[in-house]
Amino acid sequence: MGKLNAPVDKLPRRTLTVFFLIDTSGSMAGGKISSLNVAIRDTLPMLSQLSSENTDTEIKVAALQFASGCDWMYPRPLPVEDFEWNDLEANGLTSLGAAYQELLKKLSQTSGFMQEANASCAPVMILFSDGVPTDDAKHGLEHLKENNWYKAAIKIAVAIGDDANKDILKEFVNNHSEAVLTVHNVNDLKKMIYLVSVTASQVASKGVSVGTDAPESRQDEVMQDIKQAIKKDSSLKKVDVGTDADDNKGSDDWTNW
């Protein structure tokens, strides 16, 4: 008969992967890329705290930059507490289609980033872009949409300024117009990176594996929380929610970073 006070092994935690998909084309140079670097670096400790306080779910991070080509910051997702942000630089074209193809490769359960699939939450995917794709993004997205992890993911797109193609970003978020958020200045970009990353991670960490929970409900919950936060924060009044919203068009200011 075993000891009554014998230690109990902890159950392994599920994995939640947060994907940052970042446009680093030449038009992002200056205040845009500088503020993005600062914002994500400052957000990582918040995600680390969220992960450490969640006994059921561990948060991992993967970052893919795309310009004339695309590259992962690290060869695999890392636990957020181990993820050191390397500042990105901006130059080149906008190869969004190539980024979609690369993401699809890594969503494989056998050879990609999702090898812990049986113990994974549906991922979070956050796309940042300030322009128009210079390759065939629609073709790349068609193949990506066939992937079950993409289908189940919480997806949000942040349009950085007036020149971002909102229609392209809307396609990435499965035509959920309100999941496209447009920022027009450095401070709003920083705040939205934090708000979107933390909110989406909080909701996704409560989810379960593909096929056993409705991804639409999580997407809707995230957007409801984000919209409420924007409404309550008067400093975010220049953030446009949805592809049809352009109240702040023409107010771009990327000089004070």
Side-chain angles (χ1 to χ4, degrees), residues 21-36 66-68 89-96 100 126-134 157-169 180-185 189 193 252-254:
L21 313 174
I22 302 167
D23 179 353
T24 55
S25 59
S27 57
M28 284 285 291
K32 294 178 182 179
I33 196 65
S34 297
S35 57
L36 187 146
F66 59 94
S68 295
E89 298 180 356
N91 58 73
L93 304 176
T94 310
S95 300
L96 180 57
Y100 286 156
I126 308 173
L127 171 62
F128 302 90
S129 181
D130 79 327
V132 180
T134 53
V158 178
I160 304 175
D162 288 340
D163 293 334
N165 189 317
K166 292 186 184 180
D167 290 334
I168 291 291
L169 298 182
V180 178
L181 307 167
T182 305
V183 295
H184 299 276
N185 59 66
L189 174 59
I193 288 176
D252 282 8
D253 179 8
W254 303 102

Side-chain angles (χ1 to χ4, degrees), residues 2-255:
K3 295 181 180 180
L4 293 177
N5 295 324
V8 178
D9 292 337
K10 291 184 178 180
L11 293 174
R13 294 196 295 169
R14 296 173 300 174
T15 298
L16 164 64
T17 302
V18 178
F19 290 91
F20 291 114
L21 313 174
I22 302 167
D23 179 353
T24 55
S25 59
S27 57
M28 284 285 291
K32 294 178 182 179
I33 196 65
S34 297
S35 57
L36 187 146
N37 282 323
V38 170
I40 294 184
R41 190 186 304 111
D42 289 349
T43 296
L44 290 174
M46 311 300 176
L47 294 180
S48 179
Q49 180 178 352
L50 180 63
S51 180
S52 65
E53 293 175 350
N54 192 321
T55 58
D56 298 321
T57 304
E58 175 188 27
I59 296 176
K60 293 187 177 182
V61 175
L64 177 66
Q65 64 167 320
F66 59 94
S68 295
C70 54
D71 296 288
W72 294 99
M73 187 171 290
Y74 295 100
R76 67 184 187 282
L78 296 178
V80 62
E81 62 271 18
D82 298 331
F83 196 101
E84 294 185 10
W85 186 258
N86 299 322
D87 280 357
L88 300 174
E89 298 180 356
N91 58 73
L93 304 176
T94 310
S95 300
L96 180 57
Y100 286 156
Q101 293 178 26
E102 179 61 26
L103 176 60
L104 177 60
K105 292 179 185 176
K106 296 304 184 183
L107 291 178
S108 166
Q109 293 183 6
T110 56
S111 59
F113 287 171
M114 307 303 290
Q115 295 182 42
E116 300 169 331
N118 292 332
S120 293
C121 304
V124 171
M125 299 178 182
I126 308 173
L127 171 62
F128 302 90
S129 181
D130 79 327
V132 180
T134 53
D135 62 357
D136 191 354
K138 289 189 176 183
H139 180 73
L141 185 58
E142 285 177 2
H143 291 286
L144 181 59
K145 284 185 173 181
E146 297 174 1
N147 181 273
N148 286 333
W149 284 113
Y150 170 84
K151 293 177 184 178
I154 292 173
K155 296 176 284 291
I156 299 173
V158 178
I160 304 175
D162 288 340
D163 293 334
N165 189 317
K166 292 186 184 180
D167 290 334
I168 291 291
L169 298 182
K170 181 180 176 181
E171 292 175 0
F172 171 75
V173 296
N174 282 346
N175 294 315
H176 292 285
S177 175
E178 291 187 335
V180 178
L181 307 167
T182 305
V183 295
H184 299 276
N185 59 66
V186 168
N187 287 333
D188 286 353
L189 174 59
K190 291 178 180 178
K191 289 181 179 180
M192 290 309 297
I193 288 176
Y194 166 78
L195 176 60
V196 167
S197 302
V198 173
T199 304
S201 298
Q202 286 174 330
V203 174
S205 65
K206 297 184 293 185
V208 293
S209 300
V210 173
T212 57
D213 193 15
E216 292 292 333
S217 66
R218 292 194 299 273
Q219 181 83 32
D220 292 344
E221 183 179 350
V222 168
M223 290 316 304
Q224 181 178 1
D225 290 350
I226 289 174
K227 287 187 293 181
Q228 287 179 348
I230 292 173
K231 187 175 181 179
K232 291 179 180 178
D233 189 343
S234 60
S235 69
L236 291 175
K237 62 184 179 180
K238 288 189 176 181
V239 174
D240 292 321
V241 179
T243 54
D244 296 328
D246 57 2
D247 295 343
N248 298 292
K249 188 173 183 179
S251 65
D252 282 8
D253 179 8
W254 303 102
T255 56

